[in-house]
Amino acid sequence: DTAVSQTPKYLVTQMGNDKSIKCEQNLGHDTMYWYKQDSKKFLKIMFSYNNKELIINETVPNRFSPKSPDKAHLNLHINSLELGDSAVYFCASRTGGVSPLHFGNGTRLTVT
Amino acid sequence: GDSVTQMEGPVTLSEEAFLTINCTYTATGYPSLFWYVQYPGEGLQLLLKATKADDKGSNKGFEATYRKETTSFHLEKGSVQVSDSAVYFCALSEPPDSWGKLQFGAGTQVVVTP
């Protein structure tokens, strides 16, 4: 059983398009996250939701909009895609207290 | 702000060799420290953690000790296997941000050859 699943696994699209990445976790966790990994493998947090409430919003262009319809899902919508948005986007989740992050397998976004 | 610095890779070594990956950090408070591992095509998995000075985290033969005096959390394994080939990330988190908002190092790729 996949604990944190993301779709799609690969996404190739042209500049200017709008796309969404979906994430679902079946671990019963309260908090979900989006991280971005660039071409040099550097990881940086983008957003976090706790029980559908936005709790972390790093310095991310407002073309990126997360949406959490319920605590098991956290989607990422990106408007007007740019070349620099090409990266691997990881969804993650955790429960409260001192529990570690559980990551999905990532979505590789390529903008041409 | 907080930051994590790891040795650059790739680190290439033979099976059964000793592995060390250096990690140092800067933080304003008392962070928790982590090592995550990323196998090809997969997400990151927690390898080990330490929450206070002198704690030693260990898992799957890997160890790291939280050294406050040197602000370090070096990862070691005494005898690596081909299956240990992966990218290893050192990370920290500081209260009150909890363990979800992690500051990652740049990652160190490890290649183990038979």
Side-chain angles (χ1 to χ4, degrees):
Chain A
D1 287 342
T2 303
V4 181
S5 59
Q6 301 178 222
T7 54
K9 188 174 173 67
Y10 300 97
L11 182 55
V12 181
T13 188
Q14 292 184 322
M15 283 176 57
N17 286 347
D18 303 338
K19 291 293 179 186
S20 291
I21 306 172
K22 296 180 183 295
C23 179
E24 175 181 4
Q25 54 94 5
N26 62 5
L27 297 166
H29 289 168
D30 297 319
T31 312
M32 297 184 71
Y33 304 78
W34 280 110
Y35 275 81
K36 178 181 179 180
Q37 185 176 46
D38 65 21
S39 59
K40 296 185 178 180
K41 299 284 189 185
F42 185 70
L43 276 150
K44 189 170 173 59
I45 191 169
M46 300 174 70
F47 301 104
S48 176
Y49 270 75
N50 180 273
N51 275 326
K52 302 191 293 177
E53 179 184 350
L54 182 66
I55 58 171
I56 295 175
N57 185 350
E58 294 295 293
T59 308
V60 177
N62 59 15
R63 297 182 294 104
F64 290 78
S65 53
K67 284 189 172 50
S68 181
D70 55 61
K71 75 173 193 177
H73 295 84
L74 179 61
N75 304 323
L76 183 65
H77 188 76
I78 315 170
N79 289 327
S80 303
L81 279 155
E82 300 177 356
L83 292 177
D85 298 331
S86 296
V88 181
Y89 292 85
F90 285 100
C91 179
S93 71
R94 61 186 290 273
T95 186
V98 291
S99 62
L101 284 172
H102 292 255
F103 282 85
N105 286 344
T107 295
R108 182 174 295 277
L109 171 65
T110 303
V111 182
T112 62
Chain B
D2 297 349
S3 67
V4 177
T5 303
Q6 310 181 213
M7 60 189 287
E8 286 191 28
V11 173
T12 303
L13 55 168
S14 301
E15 209 165 20
E16 298 184 3
F18 185 87
L19 170 69
T20 300
I21 304 176
N22 290 341
C23 171
T24 57
Y25 67 90
T26 58
T28 53
Y30 300 94
S32 295
L33 301 174
F34 307 83
W35 277 101
Y36 276 80
V37 58
Q38 184 180 24
Y39 298 104
E42 298 183 10
L44 282 74
Q45 303 172 27
L46 179 65
L47 182 59
L48 53 83
K49 65 184 185 296
T51 58
K52 61 184 188 294
D54 300 324
D55 267 3
K56 177 186 281 190
S58 61
N59 186 23
K60 299 181 181 179
F62 289 89
E63 291 184 341
T65 301
Y66 189 142
R67 301 281 188 207
K68 193 170 188 302
E69 64 276 14
T70 54
T71 62
S72 65
F73 193 53
H74 304 322
L75 183 68
E76 296 181 337
K77 185 174 185 182
S79 177
V80 293
Q81 306 299 313
V82 173
S83 58
D84 293 324
S85 298
V87 181
Y88 292 82
F89 293 90
C90 185
L92 68 80
S93 71
E94 279 210 87
D97 288 325
S98 81
W99 286 16
K101 184 178 177 181
L102 295 176
Q103 182 74 38
F104 283 94
T108 301
Q109 184 175 11
V110 172
V111 178
V112 181
T113 57

PDB file of all heavy atoms in Angstrom, chain B residues 36-50:
ATOM      1  N   TYR B  36      18.440  11.901   5.835  1.00  0.00           N
ATOM      2  CA  TYR B  36      17.483  11.266   4.944  1.00  0.00           C
ATOM      3  C   TYR B  36      18.257  10.645   3.784  1.00  0.00           C
ATOM      4  O   TYR B  36      19.321  11.134   3.394  1.00  0.00           O
ATOM      5  CB  TYR B  36      16.488  12.283   4.380  1.00  0.00           C
ATOM      6  CG  TYR B  36      15.313  12.589   5.280  1.00  0.00           C
ATOM      7  CD1 TYR B  36      15.438  13.473   6.340  1.00  0.00           C
ATOM      8  CD2 TYR B  36      14.076  11.977   5.071  1.00  0.00           C
ATOM      9  CE1 TYR B  36      14.359  13.744   7.171  1.00  0.00           C
ATOM     10  CE2 TYR B  36      12.996  12.244   5.890  1.00  0.00           C
ATOM     11  CZ  TYR B  36      13.145  13.132   6.942  1.00  0.00           C
ATOM     12  OH  TYR B  36      12.079  13.394   7.764  1.00  0.00           O
ATOM     13  N   VAL B  37      17.682   9.573   3.208  1.00  0.00           N
ATOM     14  CA  VAL B  37      18.296   8.912   2.073  1.00  0.00           C
ATOM     15  C   VAL B  37      17.297   8.872   0.919  1.00  0.00           C
ATOM     16  O   VAL B  37      16.095   8.673   1.132  1.00  0.00           O
ATOM     17  CB  VAL B  37      18.793   7.491   2.441  1.00  0.00           C
ATOM     18  CG1 VAL B  37      17.658   6.613   2.955  1.00  0.00           C
ATOM     19  CG2 VAL B  37      19.479   6.825   1.256  1.00  0.00           C
ATOM     20  N   GLN B  38      17.795   9.123  -0.273  1.00  0.00           N
ATOM     21  CA  GLN B  38      16.956   9.083  -1.475  1.00  0.00           C
ATOM     22  C   GLN B  38      17.546   8.087  -2.457  1.00  0.00           C
ATOM     23  O   GLN B  38      18.609   8.323  -3.032  1.00  0.00           O
ATOM     24  CB  GLN B  38      16.860  10.470  -2.113  1.00  0.00           C
ATOM     25  CG  GLN B  38      15.927  10.528  -3.310  1.00  0.00           C
ATOM     26  CD  GLN B  38      15.844  11.922  -3.928  1.00  0.00           C
ATOM     27  OE1 GLN B  38      16.745  12.742  -3.797  1.00  0.00           O
ATOM     28  NE2 GLN B  38      14.731  12.194  -4.615  1.00  0.00           N
ATOM     29  N   TYR B  39      16.848   6.966  -2.660  1.00  0.00           N
ATOM     30  CA  TYR B  39      17.257   5.982  -3.648  1.00  0.00           C
ATOM     31  C   TYR B  39      16.752   6.432  -5.015  1.00  0.00           C
ATOM     32  O   TYR B  39      15.778   7.188  -5.105  1.00  0.00           O
ATOM     33  CB  TYR B  39      16.734   4.601  -3.282  1.00  0.00           C
ATOM     34  CG  TYR B  39      17.271   4.106  -1.964  1.00  0.00           C
ATOM     35  CD1 TYR B  39      16.477   4.114  -0.819  1.00  0.00           C
ATOM     36  CD2 TYR B  39      18.583   3.655  -1.848  1.00  0.00           C
ATOM     37  CE1 TYR B  39      16.969   3.684   0.401  1.00  0.00           C
ATOM     38  CE2 TYR B  39      19.083   3.232  -0.630  1.00  0.00           C
ATOM     39  CZ  TYR B  39      18.278   3.247   0.489  1.00  0.00           C
ATOM     40  OH  TYR B  39      18.774   2.827   1.692  1.00  0.00           O
ATOM     41  N   PRO B  40      17.390   5.986  -6.078  1.00  0.00           N
ATOM     42  CA  PRO B  40      17.013   6.457  -7.418  1.00  0.00           C
ATOM     43  C   PRO B  40      15.523   6.295  -7.703  1.00  0.00           C
ATOM     44  O   PRO B  40      14.952   5.234  -7.493  1.00  0.00           O
ATOM     45  CB  PRO B  40      17.859   5.565  -8.334  1.00  0.00           C
ATOM     46  CG  PRO B  40      19.051   5.204  -7.510  1.00  0.00           C
ATOM     47  CD  PRO B  40      18.540   5.058  -6.102  1.00  0.00           C
ATOM     48  N   GLY B  41      14.916   7.381  -8.154  1.00  0.00           N
ATOM     49  CA  GLY B  41      13.512   7.344  -8.546  1.00  0.00           C
ATOM     50  C   GLY B  41      12.530   7.325  -7.397  1.00  0.00           C
ATOM     51  O   GLY B  41      11.322   7.149  -7.615  1.00  0.00           O
ATOM     52  N   GLU B  42      13.016   7.503  -6.180  1.00  0.00           N
ATOM     53  CA  GLU B  42      12.131   7.435  -5.028  1.00  0.00           C
ATOM     54  C   GLU B  42      12.157   8.744  -4.239  1.00  0.00           C
ATOM     55  O   GLU B  42      12.984   9.623  -4.464  1.00  0.00           O
ATOM     56  CB  GLU B  42      12.538   6.284  -4.111  1.00  0.00           C
ATOM     57  CG  GLU B  42      12.443   4.924  -4.777  1.00  0.00           C
ATOM     58  CD  GLU B  42      12.776   3.799  -3.810  1.00  0.00           C
ATOM     59  OE1 GLU B  42      12.894   4.048  -2.594  1.00  0.00           O
ATOM     60  OE2 GLU B  42      12.907   2.667  -4.285  1.00  0.00           O
ATOM     61  N   GLY B  43      11.230   8.829  -3.296  1.00  0.00           N
ATOM     62  CA  GLY B  43      11.231   9.953  -2.374  1.00  0.00           C
ATOM     63  C   GLY B  43      12.248   9.744  -1.271  1.00  0.00           C
ATOM     64  O   GLY B  43      12.917   8.727  -1.206  1.00  0.00           O
ATOM     65  N   LEU B  44      12.343  10.742  -0.398  1.00  0.00           N
ATOM     66  CA  LEU B  44      13.293  10.647   0.697  1.00  0.00           C
ATOM     67  C   LEU B  44      12.730   9.784   1.819  1.00  0.00           C
ATOM     68  O   LEU B  44      11.530   9.804   2.099  1.00  0.00           O
ATOM     69  CB  LEU B  44      13.591  12.038   1.263  1.00  0.00           C
ATOM     70  CG  LEU B  44      14.554  12.888   0.457  1.00  0.00           C
ATOM     71  CD1 LEU B  44      13.900  13.429  -0.799  1.00  0.00           C
ATOM     72  CD2 LEU B  44      15.066  14.042   1.310  1.00  0.00           C
ATOM     73  N   GLN B  45      13.630   9.065   2.474  1.00  0.00           N
ATOM     74  CA  GLN B  45      13.247   8.259   3.635  1.00  0.00           C
ATOM     75  C   GLN B  45      14.122   8.673   4.813  1.00  0.00           C
ATOM     76  O   GLN B  45      15.325   8.896   4.630  1.00  0.00           O
ATOM     77  CB  GLN B  45      13.495   6.770   3.361  1.00  0.00           C
ATOM     78  CG  GLN B  45      12.791   6.205   2.158  1.00  0.00           C
ATOM     79  CD  GLN B  45      13.249   4.791   1.864  1.00  0.00           C
ATOM     80  OE1 GLN B  45      13.687   4.050   2.750  1.00  0.00           O
ATOM     81  NE2 GLN B  45      13.149   4.387   0.612  1.00  0.00           N
ATOM     82  N   LEU B  46      13.507   8.758   5.968  1.00  0.00           N
ATOM     83  CA  LEU B  46      14.295   9.074   7.150  1.00  0.00           C
ATOM     84  C   LEU B  46      15.237   7.923   7.448  1.00  0.00           C
ATOM     85  O   LEU B  46      14.812   6.767   7.566  1.00  0.00           O
ATOM     86  CB  LEU B  46      13.374   9.311   8.336  1.00  0.00           C
ATOM     87  CG  LEU B  46      14.085   9.621   9.649  1.00  0.00           C
ATOM     88  CD1 LEU B  46      14.826  10.949   9.568  1.00  0.00           C
ATOM     89  CD2 LEU B  46      13.079   9.636  10.806  1.00  0.00           C
ATOM     90  N   LEU B  47      16.508   8.220   7.602  1.00  0.00           N
ATOM     91  CA  LEU B  47      17.503   7.196   7.926  1.00  0.00           C
ATOM     92  C   LEU B  47      17.751   7.169   9.433  1.00  0.00           C
ATOM     93  O   LEU B  47      17.725   6.118  10.052  1.00  0.00           O
ATOM     94  CB  LEU B  47      18.802   7.487   7.173  1.00  0.00           C
ATOM     95  CG  LEU B  47      19.938   6.510   7.334  1.00  0.00           C
ATOM     96  CD1 LEU B  47      19.535   5.114   6.888  1.00  0.00           C
ATOM     97  CD2 LEU B  47      21.163   6.978   6.547  1.00  0.00           C
ATOM     98  N   LEU B  48      17.987   8.334  10.018  1.00  0.00           N
ATOM     99  CA  LEU B  48      18.182   8.410  11.463  1.00  0.00           C
ATOM    100  C   LEU B  48      18.025   9.854  11.912  1.00  0.00           C
ATOM    101  O   LEU B  48      18.017  10.770  11.092  1.00  0.00           O
ATOM    102  CB  LEU B  48      19.536   7.833  11.879  1.00  0.00           C
ATOM    103  CG  LEU B  48      20.786   8.373  11.180  1.00  0.00           C
ATOM    104  CD1 LEU B  48      21.263   9.668  11.817  1.00  0.00           C
ATOM    105  CD2 LEU B  48      21.913   7.335  11.230  1.00  0.00           C
ATOM    106  N   LYS B  49      17.928  10.026  13.224  1.00  0.00           N
ATOM    107  CA  LYS B  49      17.720  11.367  13.767  1.00  0.00           C
ATOM    108  C   LYS B  49      18.358  11.478  15.149  1.00  0.00           C
ATOM    109  O   LYS B  49      18.659  10.477  15.786  1.00  0.00           O
ATOM    110  CB  LYS B  49      16.236  11.665  13.884  1.00  0.00           C
ATOM    111  CG  LYS B  49      15.496  10.781  14.881  1.00  0.00           C
ATOM    112  CD  LYS B  49      14.021  11.056  14.880  1.00  0.00           C
ATOM    113  CE  LYS B  49      13.308  10.263  15.971  1.00  0.00           C
ATOM    114  NZ  LYS B  49      13.396   8.812  15.777  1.00  0.00           N
ATOM    115  N   ALA B  50      18.537  12.720  15.585  1.00  0.00           N
ATOM    116  CA  ALA B  50      19.006  12.997  16.943  1.00  0.00           C
ATOM    117  C   ALA B  50      18.397  14.326  17.371  1.00  0.00           C
ATOM    118  O   ALA B  50      18.342  15.272  16.582  1.00  0.00           O
ATOM    119  CB  ALA B  50      20.525  13.062  17.003  1.00  0.00           C
TER     120      ALA B  50
END
